[in-house]
Amino acid sequence: MSESGDAIGRDQINITIHGSGDGKGWEVHSRSETDGDLADHWRTFAATPSRALLAEVLSRQRVAVLRARRRSGATTTALAALAMFTVRVREVSGNRPPASLPATVIEPGCGYVFDAVGAAWTARPRGSAVLGCRRLLEQHGAWLVVLVDSTADTENVRELLVEHEPPDPRDVLANHLHAALPGESAFVTEVLREAQPPPRTPGEAADLARALIRGHRAGRPIGAVMAGRPHPLREEARTRLRQNRDGPPEERDLARRAFLIAQAVLHDLPAAHVCRAAHHLAEQLYEVEKQKTNAKLGQLPFGDILESWLDAPPADTGGDGPGDPDIDRRLPMPEGFAEAVLHVVWFDYIVAHEALLHWLSGMAENDPDRRVRFRAALALGRLAVYDFDFMVQTCFVPWSHDRRQSLHQVTAWALEETVKRDPAKLTRVFAAADAWSRGRSITQRSTALRMYGTYLGVQNPERALRGLRHIVLKGDAADQRRWVTFSLVEIFAGGRRTTVARTLVDWASSPQVRIRRTAADSLAELAELDDPSGMPELMTMFEAEPELVGRLWRLVLTSRLCGRRPWDALRTWRKRGVDMTELRGRLESDPRLRRPLAFYLGPHVANAALPAPAPCTEEATR
């Protein structure tokens, strides 16, 4: 038999099948026979220290164990190490340990790579299972490298063990291109420049090189080849989400899929949240799975999964303190992998859509932890990028009619994430917010005002502020007006300081009582914002635009609807030692403000920034 392959530089690989009485035979793949067969291999091989280490073990034992991840170039490295002893290299595969290799498989003077990754016996290989073939190898003058997974417990074969150090994937890509396209260095340089994102593993680099070589020979542009290559993280996600019904129980269990999806949604939250969410998702996925005649979901091994995950090095908790290692433990996940998992789940497992949305909606609606609700909302927003109309009608419109304000906030978070990931959706989301803000439904106005305080308001502050003004004029409950203030502060903090300040100047001059009161409350909230240096944002802005900020303070403080909050904000600044000399001078130019300023800030001195009073003095002046 023959098949295509290039790990050792040949276009055809001869395969010999050795049968056995019990039907469990061995396959041997011939990779090279002469020095000429190895020539391409030397040109494509990317150097790695693992090759020399393997050669050292093989010179002493004739058998070595290489522990490595899939697609890390381990097979190529093993073949390169064997090529230091012989030009006749092979790949052998079978279901049994090397000790069971029959003499008919081993040819004199050959080197063999035995890929045993995933075999049950390699979880904790025994020395006898590996070294049992050494006498056979010595008799035939042969060598053997056994490949095992990076998670294998190799304590019993440590004298044979080599930890694989993968080569740089960019070196693998360049070497393959140079070998196949000699004299075209400019093409190789262009590929390396445009390969974004770069290949993550040697196997991925080799696949990309083959695609580029075929495309170049067919006259296809590099960009077209790059656009058509499989997304590496999505391919890995498909592999990990796939259930192998013919494999061992741990590969059939639906709970592992649930854990991976839960980790993708809550990847930066403590493990306790991931575990609880995974358990709920597994139960809902099982409702789908059990409808199949061949459903094989057994007992959910949550304890076993947790134990293996928590053996990994702890990730950064992201908090201000060290945190409790048992409570605040984060489960590691490669960057970008969470996005890939959600993409694969949505497009490859359509039958699970209902269960997935029910699970995410339940977390977004009912979870007591605000962080969980936020992460569930972000996941829903990502799904809306894939299927916007479906998600709007299934989740967001019904939630905008719900009386629970927590769902209004979740809708705003989700749609913000959608617009961030797909800016083309900004127009449609803004149109929905505008329609809801002017509609008759108080719940939809509540949803719209929260939407204005997100990325939408930062992108188009004038439009968002007009929508907030409409909501204020509707005269909804006091807590709704308070959320208008919060949304306005979010737009200000998002970098739209001048636009917000000018709008508040206009609001503070409005004949509408609700608008003037909102302006005063908003100014008091803005006064609590600090810049990175610790200075109030409004004072930093005053230094750049004294006329605008000074006028805003004067209009608010002279209004009969001002209330105490803006005055208390100025008093707080004084206690913090903020220099308000120039601002106070501008305010005192209005005779109506002189006495109130003296009451709240004390007598006017050369420098209005006074040190904070002692606690007893503060208590006596209350």
Side-chain angles (χ1 to χ4, degrees):
M1 301 174 62
S2 64
E3 64 178 21
S4 62
D6 71 344
I8 203 69
R10 290 176 59 84
D11 293 327
Q12 298 292 324
I13 305 170
N14 297 321
I15 303 176
T16 303
I17 300 178
H18 299 262
S20 61
D22 58 6
K24 296 182 179 181
W26 297 83
E27 291 186 3
V28 178
H29 303 227
S30 300
R31 304 307 295 259
S32 70
E33 297 289 348
T34 66
D35 290 334
D37 294 335
L38 294 176
D40 287 342
H41 172 60
W42 297 131
R43 290 193 294 268
T44 60
F45 176 66
T48 170
S50 305
R51 175 172 175 256
L53 295 174
L54 277 176
E56 180 183 350
V57 176
L58 290 171
S59 64
R60 291 186 283 106
Q61 303 281 3
R62 286 193 175 268
V63 58
V65 176
L66 182 61
R67 186 162 65 174
R69 295 181 179 274
R70 283 287 191 189
R71 309 279 290 167
S72 63
T75 301
T76 302
T77 300
L79 291 168
L82 291 169
M84 298 176 68
F85 299 90
T86 176
V87 297
R88 303 173 62 201
V89 293
R90 309 277 193 266
E91 288 185 51
V92 63
S93 60
N95 297 319
R96 295 179 174 180
S100 302
L101 278 168
T104 55
V105 171
I106 304 300
E107 299 179 35
C110 287
Y112 294 87
V113 177
F114 181 12
D115 188 350
V117 174
W121 65 269
T122 62
R124 189 182 179 87
R126 294 177 286 110
S128 58
V130 178
L131 287 172
C133 67
R134 185 166 61 179
R135 179 172 296 182
L136 178 63
L137 295 173
E138 291 174 346
Q139 291 174 352
H140 290 77
W143 300 264
L144 175 69
V145 177
V146 182
L147 305 183
V148 299
D149 192 77
S150 60
T151 60
D153 183 354
T154 53
E155 177 64 23
N156 295 329
V157 293
R158 59 182 181 274
E159 71 278 5
L160 307 175
L161 181 66
V162 173
E163 296 284 359
H164 181 48
E165 184 175 337
D168 187 334
R170 291 177 62 86
D171 291 342
V172 176
L173 176 61
N175 289 358
H176 275 74
L177 294 175
H178 280 302
L181 304 170
E184 300 197 36
S185 300
F187 174 77
V188 177
T189 302
E190 185 179 359
V191 167
L192 295 177
R193 184 176 62 251
E194 294 191 14
Q196 299 299 330
R200 297 178 306 115
T201 65
E204 183 184 324
D207 291 342
L208 177 58
R210 285 191 290 269
L212 288 165
I213 293 166
R214 289 194 299 268
H216 183 68
R217 289 170 176 168
R220 296 181 63 199
I222 295 176
V225 176
M226 298 292 293
R229 65 173 173 158
H231 193 291
L233 290 176
R234 291 175 191 167
E235 292 303 310
E236 182 178 347
R238 286 187 180 92
T239 300
R240 294 180 60 181
L241 286 167
R242 189 176 297 119
Q243 286 182 274
N244 183 7
R245 298 187 178 279
D246 298 322
E250 63 270 13
E251 294 185 11
R252 297 199 304 264
D253 205 319
L254 192 62
R256 295 185 178 274
R257 179 185 293 176
F259 259 89
L260 186 60
I261 298 172
Q263 190 183 6
V265 174
L266 307 177
H267 60 91
D268 60 346
L269 295 186
H273 294 291
V274 177
C275 299
R276 183 169 60 248
H279 185 271
H280 294 159
L281 177 59
E283 292 177 336
Q284 295 183 41
L285 289 177
Y286 181 51
E287 293 301 315
V288 177
E289 179 76 5
K290 72 180 182 180
Q291 299 175 22
K292 304 176 183 178
T293 57
N294 60 345
K296 296 182 180 180
L297 176 65
Q299 183 179 0
L300 307 180
F302 292 108
D304 295 342
I305 300 172
L306 273 183
E307 183 178 356
S308 64
W309 276 357
L310 295 180
D311 282 342
D316 183 9
T317 63
D320 296 329
D324 186 329
D326 295 326
I327 296 176
D328 209 27
R329 187 68 173 271
R330 263 66 168 172
L331 303 177
M333 176 167 275
E335 182 179 359
F337 191 59
E339 171 73 18
V341 169
L342 287 176
H343 186 281
V344 171
V345 169
W346 189 254
F347 286 103
D348 291 15
Y349 298 96
I350 298 176
V351 69
H353 280 188
E354 183 177 353
L356 179 66
L357 290 179
H358 188 268
W359 172 68
L360 287 172
S361 301
M363 286 195 296
E365 295 177 29
N366 305 315
D367 199 281
D369 194 311
R370 189 171 186 268
R371 297 173 299 173
V372 174
R373 297 199 303 272
F374 177 69
R375 287 297 166 190
L378 295 189
L380 290 164
R382 294 177 190 174
L383 299 181
V385 173
Y386 309 143
D387 200 339
F388 184 76
D389 292 328
F390 174 78
M391 292 298 297
V392 167
Q393 296 303 320
T394 303
C395 297
F396 305 142
V397 169
W399 288 351
S400 71
H401 287 292
D402 198 285
R403 299 180 64 86
R404 288 171 291 180
Q405 294 192 23
S406 60
L407 288 181
H408 306 163
Q409 185 62 66
V410 167
T411 301
W413 284 335
L415 289 173
E416 176 186 38
E417 182 72 2
T418 300
V419 172
K420 283 184 175 180
R421 293 180 175 273
D422 185 4
K425 299 289 193 302
L426 177 64
T427 302
R428 298 185 64 184
V429 174
F430 238 131
D434 290 343
W436 292 351
S437 69
R438 291 165 171 77
R440 295 183 177 181
S441 170
I442 187 174
T443 59
Q444 288 195 325
R445 290 198 294 272
S446 172
T447 306
L449 70 88
R450 287 165 171 80
M451 291 169 63
Y452 287 136
T454 64
Y455 183 73
L456 273 70
V458 176
Q459 288 297 103
N460 193 337
E462 293 86 357
R463 186 174 179 178
L465 292 169
R466 287 196 301 269
L468 291 174
R469 191 176 190 276
H470 276 286
I471 294 173
V472 172
L473 290 175
K474 291 290 184 178
D476 293 337
D479 59 339
Q480 297 280 39
R481 295 196 300 271
R482 182 169 58 91
W483 271 101
V484 170
T485 299
F486 292 162
S487 293
L488 191 146
V489 171
E490 289 294 331
I491 298 173
F492 182 94
R496 304 299 186 176
R497 300 190 307 181
T498 300
T499 303
V500 170
R502 288 174 178 169
T503 299
L504 288 181
V505 166
D506 179 63
W507 288 12
S509 308
S510 172
Q512 298 288 340
V513 172
R514 297 189 184 100
I515 297 296
R516 294 205 306 274
R517 182 178 289 118
T518 304
D521 291 342
S522 299
L523 182 60
E525 291 289 340
L526 292 176
E528 297 182 7
L529 295 180
D530 289 343
D531 65 16
S533 69
M535 177 69 68
E537 283 271 11
L538 280 175
M539 286 305 297
T540 304
M541 185 179 178
F542 177 76
E543 295 175 359
E545 302 181 74
E547 183 63 33
L548 176 61
V549 178
R551 186 183 179 201
L552 174 58
W553 275 106
R554 182 175 57 80
L555 287 171
V556 168
L557 295 177
T558 55
S559 171
R560 63 182 179 84
L561 301 174
C562 172
R564 290 186 53 183
R565 292 190 63 203
W567 290 106
D568 288 339
L570 289 176
R571 174 184 285 173
T572 301
W573 284 3
R574 176 185 178 277
K575 292 178 181 179
R576 290 174 52 185
V578 176
D579 185 357
M580 296 183 292
T581 305
E582 186 178 350
L583 175 61
R584 182 168 181 172
R586 285 179 173 271
L587 296 178
E588 286 184 336
S589 64
D590 190 322
R592 295 172 295 177
L593 295 178
R594 290 172 186 167
R595 292 187 65 183
L597 286 168
F599 175 78
Y600 281 98
L601 304 182
H604 191 179
V605 294
N607 187 351
L610 301 178
C616 58
T617 305
E618 170 65 14
E619 185 65 29
T621 57
R622 288 182 179 175

